[in-house]
Amino acid sequence: MVSQRQAGSAASSTRDQLLDAAEQLMLEEGYAAVTSRRVGARAGLTPQLVHYYFRTMDDLFLEIFHRRADVGLELFRAALQSRPTLRQLWDLRDTGMTTPRFNLEFMALANHRKAIRAVLTEYYRSYREVQLAAFTAALADLGVPPERCPPLVARLVMIGITQIMAIDAELGVESDSEVVDDFIRRQIEDLVAQGPERTDSDT
């Protein structure tokens, strides 16, 4: 007789097979290729099982997103618990469980699916809030006032450059990432070397 634990394990394995198959299809051929028939075939299972485990295709896509994005966000939060410096934040910029292609496919999907757009909006809002808090703390630790280098601007510059470089690499566009990396590191070093901004009371 099959125990409840064995049945639960089998169900989890089948669910993971379907999620893995759907994600592979999405990354290889785009989200439009993810149909119940093709997911079932890729997983070596029947298409009916897709609808058994996922009420709608949106539910399937959202599960694919959550299992990577949520873990990535927690990894990033854990990395920020040590209150990283500005240098370390630049090194942490790729922390996460998603890839440029993964993100691009979900951005494209969000243009057509309201439910997915809502989830992505909430996720990126949470991610940006965590990033902003980290940049605010790092600049404060350097004694750099917001007027001199707004945390929001620092975050947008670093993260924006990182995303553009990642997309270029994904598309095969020539990009000298080493030059960009060296430039950003020099800017950070200059900011660190300058130290806290002096005020009239310091003189």
Side-chain angles (χ1 to χ4, degrees), residues 29-95:
E29 302 181 38
Y31 73 85
V34 182
T35 64
S36 59
R37 181 182 63 79
R38 296 202 62 189
V39 170
R42 174 64 68 96
L45 301 167
T46 64
Q48 289 77 12
L49 279 174
V50 176
H51 297 293
Y52 175 80
Y53 284 99
F54 307 98
R55 188 172 57 87
T56 67
M57 293 306 289
D58 276 5
D59 290 338
L60 172 63
F61 281 119
L62 288 172
E63 188 65 29
I64 293 172
F65 182 79
H66 278 303
R67 71 172 185 163
R68 283 195 175 276
D70 290 354
V71 172
L73 182 55
E74 289 310 308
L75 282 173
F76 191 60
R77 280 176 172 155
L80 297 182
Q81 287 181 354
S82 60
R83 200 177 176 100
T85 64
L86 211 54
R87 299 186 189 96
Q88 291 169 332
L89 282 174
W90 176 244
D91 291 330
L92 285 169
R93 65 192 184 278
D94 290 329
T95 299

Side-chain angles (χ1 to χ4, degrees), residues 100-118:
R101 182 178 292 276
F102 183 95
N103 296 333
L104 286 172
E105 284 299 326
F106 271 99
M107 290 296 289
L109 186 58
N111 287 329
H112 306 284
R113 311 284 183 94
K114 290 183 179 180
I116 292 174
R117 185 181 185 88

Side-chain angles (χ1 to χ4, degrees), residues 130-144:
V130 173
Q131 289 175 323
L132 183 58
F135 276 96
T136 300
L139 289 166
D141 289 344
L142 286 175
V144 178

